[in-house]
Amino acid sequence: MDVQSYVRSAEKQTSLYKRTLFVVSISQIFGGAGLAAGVTVGALIAQQMLGTDAYAGLPTALFTLGSAGAAFSVGRLSQRYGRRAGLSAGFIIGGLGAIGVIIATVINSILLLFASLLIYGAGTATNLQARYAGTDLANSKQRATAISMTMVFTTFGAVAGPNLVNVMGRFAASIGVPSLAGPFILAAAAYISAGLVLFIFLRPEPLFIAREIEATKQVIRKNENPATSGHSNKRGILVAAIIMILTQIVMVAIMTMTPVHMHHHGHELSMVGLVIGFHIGAMYLPSLFTGILVDKLGRTMMAVASGVTLLLAGFIAALAPGDSMTLLIIALSLLGLGWNFGLISGTALLVDSTEISTRAKTQGTVDVLIALSGAAGGALSGMVVAGSSFPTLSIVGGALSVLLIPVMIWYHRQNRIKD
């Protein structure tokens, strides 16, 4: 590969940027289908095996915890060997974890289930880290839009996954596998397919070319102004991490216990799949518009919008009667939308605040913290509901999201003082 030909040609850079977005977007269709399995039936499998609601949040906690370790590894792999190596490995390992979940349900092994969910979490981490790949060759006014493009395509798989619960359940039963494991059959095929798409087609490596382009620009800047230095913005990295961590905790906690809450009120599995489908659709489908808004209105304003939207979601979920499908769909849709606002504004701020030479490693580290926060939210959600109620969990989650507002006011003031 002639890297310098890309460095010298703006036209080739634009072409590679578009090609990278296309390949990553195709992989995200498969990746979205893979992540939906754990969200939709993970808690129900644990509830069935353990016979209690108190630990129903453990599957989400486990695959989110697994995604933390995977986020670290994928970030380091990407930093050293490129996005292609890191992302394809992460997806394929996630697919192997899904296969382990299927086997665990067949032999009724709770230990194998928990171990497999940890491995399955690699797919979740990779699905999120793929959003960074589209930003490597994007300029500062394209970054949020580039992030959103890859997330929009995640919608197709993510919405299809929960709505195929019954179909995959019947297929699983027809081959002698418990019906609740059906979505994990889809997850295994989807994650492995996503990994193969990236491994085969993500060439040339966008991260390496982006590094060379930035190195050339830095030489030019230093020649023009020797005082110029390229350091990461630590305050920006911190605030970006806080935005994504808070939105992840709130979203995962409420989302995890919604299927169990619905099950207690007599809703069928197909209804659970419908609500989760709306939720995941709202997590990803608005991304194209969110990216444009983040680039136009700014990272700060959209992060505040995230906090307000999550607050509204929490209160509607708390006040909705357990048998009201309409209000549950509205609440879970707002929950997904608030997460979407937070993830895209936080991701764009993180990319803005990092240097290309260490960007993938920093992104991986921040995603570890996001995953750990999600694991905590998932684990605690079951305990809160068992000790109190689903409305209490929803109100606490909504109130927690309000912290985004003072954080962003502080960041905005600090930047204004610095300027």
Side-chain angles (χ1 to χ4, degrees), residues 4-77:
Q4 289 304 312
S5 68
Y6 286 91
V7 174
R8 293 189 297 266
S9 172
E11 185 178 342
K12 291 190 73 170
Q13 290 173 27
T14 301
S15 176
L16 181 58
Y17 167 63
K18 291 178 179 178
R19 174 182 166 80
T20 299
L21 274 181
F22 178 76
V23 172
V24 173
S25 296
I26 295 300
S27 76
Q28 289 298 83
I29 295 175
F30 293 110
L35 70 87
V39 171
T40 308
V41 298
L44 296 176
I45 290 174
Q47 181 194 41
Q48 189 177 82
M49 281 191 176
L50 295 170
T52 176
D53 291 347
Y55 303 105
L58 266 180
T60 300
L62 286 167
F63 72 69
T64 310
L65 186 63
S67 74
F72 181 85
S73 301
V74 170
R76 293 304 189 275
L77 270 174

Side-chain angles (χ1 to χ4, degrees), residues 43 46-48 50-58 257 260-261 263-264 381-383 385-386:
Q47 181 194 41
Q48 189 177 82
L50 295 170
T52 176
D53 291 347
Y55 303 105
L58 266 180
M257 294 311 296
V260 176
H261 173 67
H263 184 67
H264 283 162
S381 64
M383 297 177 188
V385 171

Side-chain angles (χ1 to χ4, degrees), residues 10 14 37 73 99 103 125 130 193 264 355 377:
T14 301
S73 301
I99 292 171
I103 296 171
S193 296
H264 283 162
E355 287 296 307

